[in-house]
Amino acid sequence: MSAVIYLDNNATTQVAPEVVEAILPYLTQYYGNPSSMHTFGGQVGKAIKQARSQVASLLGAEESEIIFTSCGTEGNNTAIRAALAAQPDRKHLITTSVEHACVLNLFKQLEKQGYTVTYLSVDRKGQLDLMELEAAMTGNTALVSTMYANNETGTVFPVEQIGAIVKEYGATYHVDAVQVVGKLPLNLKNSTIDLMTLSGHKLHAPKGVGALYVRRGFRFRPLLIGGHQERGRRAGTENVVGIVGLGKAAELAQLHLADIQHEKKLRDKLEKGLLAIADTEINGDRKNRLPNTTNIGFKYIEGEAILLSLDQFGICASSGSACTSGSLEPSHVLRAMGLPYTTLHGSIRFSLSRYTTEAAVDRVLEVMPAIVERLRAMSPFNNDQAEWLQDREEAVLGSR
Amino acid sequence: MWEYTEKVLDLFYNPKNQGAIEDRDEAGVAVVFGEVGSIACGDALRLHLKIEVDTDRILDSSFQTFGCTSAIASSSALTELVKGITLDEALNISNRDIAEYLGGLPEEKMHCSVMGQEALEAAIFKYRGIEVEQHEDDDGRLVCSCFGVSENKIRRVVIENNLTTVEQVTSYVKAGGGCSSCGAEIEDIIAAVQQEKEVTATRVAAEIAVAQAQNRPLTTVQKIGLIQSVLQEVRPVLIADGGDVELYDVEGDVVKVVLKGACGSCASSTATLKNAIEVRIKERVSPNMIVEAVE
Ligand code: FES
């Protein structure tokens, strides 16, 4: 196998070499506990402070508004629980049908605990209808939680507009920005967002570190109780290495934002080339979309078979097909968008990073037509008219 | 990423017998196809057979598959397995045979092998003019409406593959993998199958006790019952090693078994036969019994 061509950056990213360099001393020399009273620990405390300011700067926030966490899941869980604790009398929550599992599954659990939840639908582009949001809001709504951008399609939600509606009803607005930080410029200074989550390993920091933005003045109830770390808002000895890495990664991301057009150009080239293959379709909102993501449906063939074929050439991508996950249902995001089954099962996500080269894109364009052709030659479906396909599709859908 | 065997990957990258079989109206030859699955479910298979009408023999077979790596490999394996055998022999092919041919499949992917077995049945039934519905849904009861799976289908896969949990059933026929509201019912079906097995075992044991008390020789049915119970005891060990054993026939004092999977190709399988199986059968059934492996 030749060198890996990594186009799965929405899953995770390579740790930036500068980040590796920045964290090494904290694995070797500076191992003190930042909570200790001696100078040795104090040095480490300073490093954390610097990381906090680096992250705050990327978000256009203040240092005191940043809490370090272990990951996006912890950030989202903490934010949602904190928001509910802040408004214990309100029992209605709103989210969308395309959220990450760490949000959706938490809401399902909250439903069992007596909350009612409205799951907003999305259209064919994966976009929300703000009228639907407005209609769902009541004086009983405690929290609205939406992503900033979808991990599978890259579709970007109009968060400030959503936040404005949420504020009218005195509710809290939480945003899962895991896919956006480092890809779109952010400024939380005059934002309508109360709480916002990010995760380090999506922006070239190591895995196991993340951050939660908490708007100054927001009534916050911690999830982890213990010592006074993070000013009592997240107990537990700090993941110093991760935090230093996240800080450096945030600094690099800010520099890179100026050059994000380069990534977008490569993405567009990849997309254009793949769309030249017959019976292909882009899934997502082409206008409001992350610059690094494209999700393409290759009709009449199945995603896992495509991925394994790509893997043979050392190309890493990902798929919304059921067969890749062991779950039997394909991606809830693509289903919520109402994609036809012909496209749904054969959808592949390519997600780029600043390390993606033009040669990598060219290689995908070189091998993909033959892969698609080979699998289509094996498939019993080759057009939307195949009648046994339609009968059965209806039969199965009808029984749901 | 799933862990696939070499064989699965080989048949995925270099599938044999893909495509349709053209019906050239040759004398004495029939061409049929059977299909299962749907694009909604994410996998579908159309299996083509070319049959010699006089002898009922499968002359050729090919497939068209919409599905993942293991669906393509399972379909290709199936076409190899059925070539040259008669339709009756083909009806004896189980999903386990397909999985074994592939050197195993991840459990979550076993439904791909089940799909192969079903397509084969669909093709043969179609050729023989038998309505598939009559066979599939004798009592027509749908257990899993998310994936349209009947009680009979679940029972069959539980018995044939010795399944004991709902998750296994989901891996084999998808039932339970959607809203999961049918889970309790699937559990009931598994329990019922197990109970039936126990009832049969106790009945045979009781009959044997009576026969022994009266000093009468065992009937063939009783012998088979005892032999089966010995085989059931050793199977878990063999399965853990990637093999399996199945009773083929009993002729007088000779017990014929089929060694499967790793056992079939393993040099120490004769030792297994003599030590693990024959010794126990001599003890429990009669000291004159001999165990032999058949191909
Ligand atoms: S009815 Fe079986 S999973 Fe929904």
Side-chain angles (χ1 to χ4, degrees), chain B residues 143-147 175-182:
Chain B
V143 172
C144 176
S145 49
C146 286
F147 288 100
C179 69
S180 73
S181 65
C182 57

Side-chain angles (χ1 to χ4, degrees), chain B residues 180-214:
Chain B
S180 73
S181 65
C182 57
E185 247 183 287
I186 298 176
E187 227 162 63
D188 291 347
I189 296 172
I190 296 172
V193 169
Q194 270 163 352
Q195 213 193 345
E196 282 159 29
K197 262 203 246 164
E198 272 169 40
V199 170
T200 321
T202 356
R203 188 172 48 81
V204 173
E207 282 173 10
I208 290 164
V210 172
Q212 281 168 343
Q214 299 171 345

Side-chain angles (χ1 to χ4, degrees), chain A residues 299-302 304-309 311-312 322-330 341-342 345-346 374-375 377-381 386 388-389 392-393 396-397 399-400, chain B residues 1-2 4 9 12-15 18-19 35-42 44-46 63-70 72 108-109 111 145-147 170 174 177-179:
Chain A
K299 285 181 149 194
Y300 315 120
I301 51 179
E302 198 273 338
E304 194 221 52
I306 303 175
L307 285 188
L308 197 72
S309 304
D311 193 64
Q312 211 184 8
C323 280
T324 48
S325 58
S327 98
L328 294 163
E329 304 272 9
Y341 284 100
T342 37
H345 293 287
R374 186 182 94 88
L375 293 174
M378 255 186 267
S379 171
F381 309 123
W388 73 288
L389 172 160
R392 282 153 203 257
E393 181 154 344
V396 172
L397 288 176
S399 69
R400 290 198 175 188
Chain B
M1 181 70 67
W2 300 102
Y4 289 126
L9 293 176
F12 171 68
Y13 289 125
N14 313 297
Q18 80 178 66
E35 48 196 20
V36 289
S38 77
I39 204 156
C41 282
L45 164 59
R46 182 181 287 181
F63 75 92
Q64 290 170 290
T65 301
F66 170 82
C68 60
T69 310
S70 31
I72 289 170
E108 291 85 343
K109 297 281 192 164
H111 58 85
S145 49
C146 286
F147 288 100
T170 305
K174 295 193 171 185
C179 69

Side-chain angles (χ1 to χ4, degrees), chain A residues 6 9 12-17 201 203-207 353-355:
Chain A
Y6 189 78
N9 288 282
T12 195
T13 55
Q14 111 175 49
V15 179
H201 74 105
L203 62 141
H204 306 286
K207 293 166 187 61
S353 82
R354 62 173 177 263
Y355 298 108

